[in-house]
Every structure is written in structure tokens, then in C-alpha cells.
């Protein structure tokens, strides 16, 4: 009789509801995966209760904004009987939660790919926000900074919107350096009072994004109604100092869709020439890490919501392998990898431009 008690599965004794409550207290993805590997009964409890998604939502609540999740295989889908939705979701969200926490000790890297647009620009394109991508205050013997348009209201906000180098990033920290106008009397610093950060995605497919051609385009692509924000940070006070100021987020934020907006709230400095308030930024950095190509995002939902795509076949492939075309690849795999290839090409171009700029400075 004692042997029978020892061999019985614990979950059969306490029941599925209590079992799910116990497993729901696990706070690390690896612990949940280990629990699911103990027995078929344990796995069924973890999978059918949706515990991997629940844990993922606790770690990064931004996941709640995802309209749907899908797995994209390299080979065309088979005609065999499909697995349950709960099994598929368990695999997707377990891997997403694992990717979110697994590399947390790895040093963050710069995540900005290019500028999308500014809410206003005083002297376009001389004072364009493109200048914020360069760390130096002087480029080719000219001051390098973005300047807002002037405003009579010291509370008038401004914003700078950037495209990150990945569909889905974990962002830890944003750094902003206000600009100090050494060419004006008393060397004023045109900082904002506070900053706030929004992350999300363009509501239309990526191909519909505009590029900055003139100031009208610059304002249009920055319009609030064009974006769906999935994360909004607290407000952080900004010092009126000419230094790269670090703003650490309360927790690493999941940027779903690869767009980040810096909101510059309130103005502190008037320009003597026209007695109007301005905000000027010299340099911006966004630090984090990419979760692509293991995870990608599509905006194909009619309401502009994001569709999370999980590519398990990309986990053990090198970048070189991913960049190779294969006629046997499924159409969706081919589409997503082609987009990843495009992001890599753009990042390489940006690095080349930065290197050429550094060489010019050293000459």
C-alpha cells in the first residue's frame, strides 16, 4: 500500500485547480519548463492552464497587446493533424519568456536603426533629428543637434521617434544629451523639464512607413494616430546639464514592433533672439538587445494590432545561414527572413556611415 502511495502522481491527489495555482507561483521560465517535463500529467496541467503565457505576461505585460501568436516553420506546413493551440502557445510563450530573461546579464548594445521623425524642427534640414545619432557636438566644423520649433508656452511638448534595429527588442536604458548653445550669450542649455518614453509599432505594415524628405514629411510620420504604443514609461526629470543623461527603466521593457518615441515634456530655456522657448538635443542612445530573428512581428491585423511570429528554426542558425536563400523554404519563412536580411543590411550601412564620419573627424 505504501508503494502505491509513493508511485501515485501528486497532481492526481490535489486536483488540477490546486495544481495550476501551485505552478502559477513559479517565477522563472526554466522552472516552469522543468515542471512540465516531470510527467505527462504535469505537462498537461502546465500546458492546458496556459501558465507559460501567464508567466510571460507577469514578466513583460506588453505581451498583452499582441493580438495573436503563430509559429513559422522553415518547411511548408505538413498535412498531418495539427497540434492543439495550447501546445503551440506553450512553446511560443515559454521561449519568449526564456529569451526575455536568459540574456539579462549580457551587456546592452545600441538599438537605434534610423530616425522616423520629429514633432517639429526649427531649421530643417540643418537642425534635423538625424544629428542626434552622432555623439559629437561639432561635425564638419558645424554644431550638430536637433532643435524644436519655438513656442510661447513653456509646457509645449516635443517628441523624437526612432526605428530600432529589430522587430522586437528588450530595452533597458535610454540616454539623452541636451544641447548647449556655445554660440549664444551665456551658453544656454535647451533641455526639457522631463522625459517619457513610449514603445510600440506603426499601425500599418512596415512597407507603408514614410521617410523624411522635408519638414512636412517629418511632422507627418511623427503623428500620434499612426502608432500603437504598447509600453509607456514613467516621467523622468532631466537635468539642465550638457551631459549624456541615463534613464534606466523600472524594468526591461519589451518593444513590440521596433518603434521608440522620446517625449520631451516642458521647456526651461528661452532664446534671446525671439523670446521663445526651445528644446534642443545633441545625442540619443537606446540600449538593449534584439530578440530577432527568433521572434518577429507582423502588423497584418485589420485594427493595426501586432502578430507575434516565432521562428524556432532560427534558433541554431548563424546569420550567414539565415541570409542564404532556399527554394524549399516556406513562403512565410522566406518573407520574414528577407525582412531580417533587410534590417541587417540597413544596420551595416549605418555602421559604415558612422565609421566614415569618424574617419573624417580624425583627418
Amino acid at each position: 500500500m505504501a508503494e502505491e502511495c509513493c508511485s501515485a502522481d501528486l497532481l492526481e491527489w490535489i486536483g488540477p485547480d490546486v495544481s495550476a495555482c501551485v505552478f502559477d507561483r513559479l517565477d522563472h521560465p526554466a522552472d516552469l519548463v522543468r515542471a512540465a517535463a516531470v510527467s505527462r500529467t504535469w505537462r498537461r496541467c502546465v500546458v492546458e492552464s496556459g501558465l507559460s503565457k501567464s508567466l510571460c505576461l507577469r514578466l513583460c505585460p506588453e505581451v498583452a497587446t499582441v493580438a495573436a501568436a503563430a509559429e513559422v516553420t522553415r518547411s511548408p506546413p505538413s498535412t498531418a493533424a495539427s497540434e492543439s493551440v495550447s501546445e503551440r502557445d506553450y512553446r511560443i510563450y515559454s521561449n519568449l519568456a526564456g529569451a526575455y530573461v536568459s540574456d539579462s546579464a549580457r551587456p546592452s548594445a545600441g538599438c537605434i536603426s534610423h530616425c522616423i521623425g520629429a514633432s517639429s524642427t526649427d531649421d530643417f534640414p540643418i537642425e534635423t533629428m538625424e544629428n542626434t545619432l552622432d555623439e559629437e557636438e561639432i561635425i564638419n566644423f558645424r554644431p550638430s543637434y536637433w532643435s524644436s520649433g519655438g513656442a510661447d508656452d513653456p509646457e509645449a511638448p516635443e517628441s523624437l521617434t526612432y526605428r530600432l534595429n529589430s522587430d522586437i527588442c528588450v530595452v533597458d536604458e535610454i540616454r539623452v544629451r541636451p544641447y548647449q548653445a556655445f554660440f549664444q550669450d551665456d551658453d544656454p542649455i535647451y533641455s526639457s523639464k522631463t522625459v517619457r518614453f513610449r514603445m510600440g509599432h506603426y499601425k500599418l505594415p512596415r512597407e507603408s512607413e514614410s521617410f523624411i524628405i522635408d519638414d512636412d514629411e517629418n511632422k507627418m510620420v511623427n503623428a500620434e494616430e499612426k502608432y500603437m504604443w504598447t509600453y509607456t514609461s514613467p516621467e523622468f526629470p532631466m537635468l539642465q546639464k550638457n551631459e549624456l543623461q541615463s534613464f534606466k527603466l523600472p524594468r526591461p521593457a519589451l518593444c513590440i514592433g521596433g518603434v521608440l518615441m522620446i517625449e520631451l515634456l516642458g521647456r526651461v530655456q528661452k532664446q534671446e533672439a525671439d523670446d521663445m522657448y526651445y528644446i534642443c538635443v545633441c545625442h540619443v542612445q537606446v540600449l538593449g538587445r534584439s530578440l530577432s530573428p527568433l521572434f518577429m512581428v507582423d502588423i497584418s491585423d485589420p485594427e493595426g494590432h501586432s502578430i507575434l511570429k516565432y521562428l524556432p528554426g532560427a534558433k541554431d542558425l548563424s546569420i550567414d545561414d539565415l541570409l542564404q536563400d532556399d527554394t524549399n523554404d516556406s513562403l512565410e519563412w522566406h518573407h520574414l527572413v528577407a525582412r531580417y536580411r533587410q534590417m541587417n543590411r540597413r544596420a551595416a550601412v549605418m555602421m559604415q556611415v558612422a565609421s566614415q564620419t569618424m574617419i573624417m573627424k580624425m583627418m
Side-chain angles (χ1 to χ4, degrees), residues 275-293:
D275 199 37
M276 298 183 76
Y277 290 95
Y278 289 83
I279 299 175
C280 299
V281 173
C282 178
H283 183 52
V284 167
Q285 293 178 359
V286 177
L287 301 181
R289 51 195 171 87
S290 168
L291 299 188
S292 294

Side-chain angles (χ1 to χ4, degrees), residues 95-119:
N95 279 279
L96 179 58
Y100 177 81
V101 303
S102 63
D103 293 335
S104 58
R106 192 176 73 186
S108 296
C111 292
I112 294 178
S113 170
H114 60 273
C115 299
I116 292 178
S119 51

Side-chain angles (χ1 to χ4, degrees), residues 21 34 45 64 72 80 90 112 115 141 193-194 243 276 301-302 306-307 322 330 354:
C21 288
R34 293 187 187 106
C45 179
V72 180
Y90 165 73
I112 294 178
C115 299
F141 307 104
K193 292 179 181 177
T194 63
E243 60 184 39
M276 298 183 76
D301 181 87
S306 59
I307 311 297
L322 282 167
S330 67

Side-chain angles (χ1 to χ4, degrees), residues 270-318:
K270 277 188 175 182
Q271 181 175 254
E272 185 176 346
D274 59 5
D275 199 37
M276 298 183 76
Y277 290 95
Y278 289 83
I279 299 175
C280 299
V281 173
C282 178
H283 183 52
V284 167
Q285 293 178 359
V286 177
L287 301 181
R289 51 195 171 87
S290 168
L291 299 188
S292 294
L294 186 60
F295 290 95
M296 303 285 282
V297 174
D298 263 353
I299 313 300
S300 53
D301 181 87
E303 299 299 320
H305 294 89
S306 59
I307 311 297
L308 179 68
K309 298 295 180 72
Y310 170 53
L311 286 71
K315 181 178 290 187
D316 299 319
L317 294 178
S318 67

Side-chain angles (χ1 to χ4, degrees), residues 119-358:
S119 51
S120 73
T121 302
D122 185 39
D123 185 8
F124 191 93
I126 302 301
E127 296 174 332
T128 175
M129 70 175 290
E130 299 281 345
N131 295 333
T132 65
L133 300 182
D134 200 291
E135 296 185 35
E136 300 300 323
E137 288 183 294
I138 304 294
I139 304 294
N140 294 329
F141 307 104
R142 299 190 62 170
S144 175
Y145 62 95
W146 163 81
S147 174
S148 72
D152 294 317
D153 182 5
E155 299 305 318
E158 295 285 349
S159 61
L160 301 173
T161 306
Y162 297 89
R163 162 66 65 184
L164 304 185
N165 58 16
S166 171
D167 271 2
I168 183 165
C169 296
V170 178
V171 177
D172 308 298
E173 177 184 357
I174 297 94
R175 298 174 181 174
V176 182
R177 181 181 180 182
Y179 182 67
Q180 184 169 15
F182 293 105
F183 53 87
Q184 296 180 359
D185 292 342
D186 300 324
D187 303 337
I189 300 175
Y190 290 92
S191 67
S192 62
K193 292 179 181 177
T194 63
V195 291
R196 183 171 59 201
F197 310 106
R198 295 185 187 272
M199 301 180 205
H201 58 82
Y202 202 56
K203 287 184 179 178
L204 298 175
R206 180 187 288 267
E207 293 77 12
S208 303
E209 276 189 1
S210 301
F211 293 92
I212 299 173
I213 299 173
D214 54 34
D215 199 18
D216 289 336
E217 280 284 317
N218 176 66
K219 294 173 184 175
M220 184 182 70
V221 298
N222 208 57
E224 176 73 16
E225 64 272 12
K226 291 181 178 291
Y227 298 93
M228 180 172 290
W229 303 118
T230 59
Y231 171 84
T232 301
S233 78
E235 287 187 32
F236 298 90
M238 176 170 273
L239 302 177
Q240 200 171 9
K241 290 185 177 181
N242 177 23
E243 60 184 39
L244 193 60
Q245 299 178 36
S246 172
F247 303 99
K248 291 282 288 185
L249 300 180
R251 59 168 179 81
L254 196 64
C255 181
I256 301 173
V259 175
L260 182 140
M261 173 183 281
I262 299 177
E263 294 185 291
L264 302 156
L265 307 175
R267 306 172 185 229
V268 296
Q269 184 63 52
K270 277 188 175 182
Q271 181 175 254
E272 185 176 346
D274 59 5
D275 199 37
M276 298 183 76
Y277 290 95
Y278 289 83
I279 299 175
C280 299
V281 173
C282 178
H283 183 52
V284 167
Q285 293 178 359
V286 177
L287 301 181
R289 51 195 171 87
S290 168
L291 299 188
S292 294
L294 186 60
F295 290 95
M296 303 285 282
V297 174
D298 263 353
I299 313 300
S300 53
D301 181 87
E303 299 299 320
H305 294 89
S306 59
I307 311 297
L308 179 68
K309 298 295 180 72
Y310 170 53
L311 286 71
K315 181 178 290 187
D316 299 319
L317 294 178
S318 67
I319 291 180
D320 290 338
D321 291 333
L322 282 167
L323 299 185
Q324 292 178 359
D325 288 319
D326 190 333
T327 56
N328 294 322
D329 290 345
S330 67
L331 290 177
E332 190 169 14
W333 172 278
H334 183 79
H335 167 72
L336 293 173
V337 170
R339 202 171 75 212
Y340 180 71
R341 182 187 299 117
Q342 185 181 36
M343 288 191 293
N344 271 272
R345 277 202 300 262
R346 183 181 288 275
V349 169
M350 294 295 293
M351 290 182 64
Q352 186 177 14
V353 170
S355 298
Q356 289 175 348
T357 302
M358 288 298 295

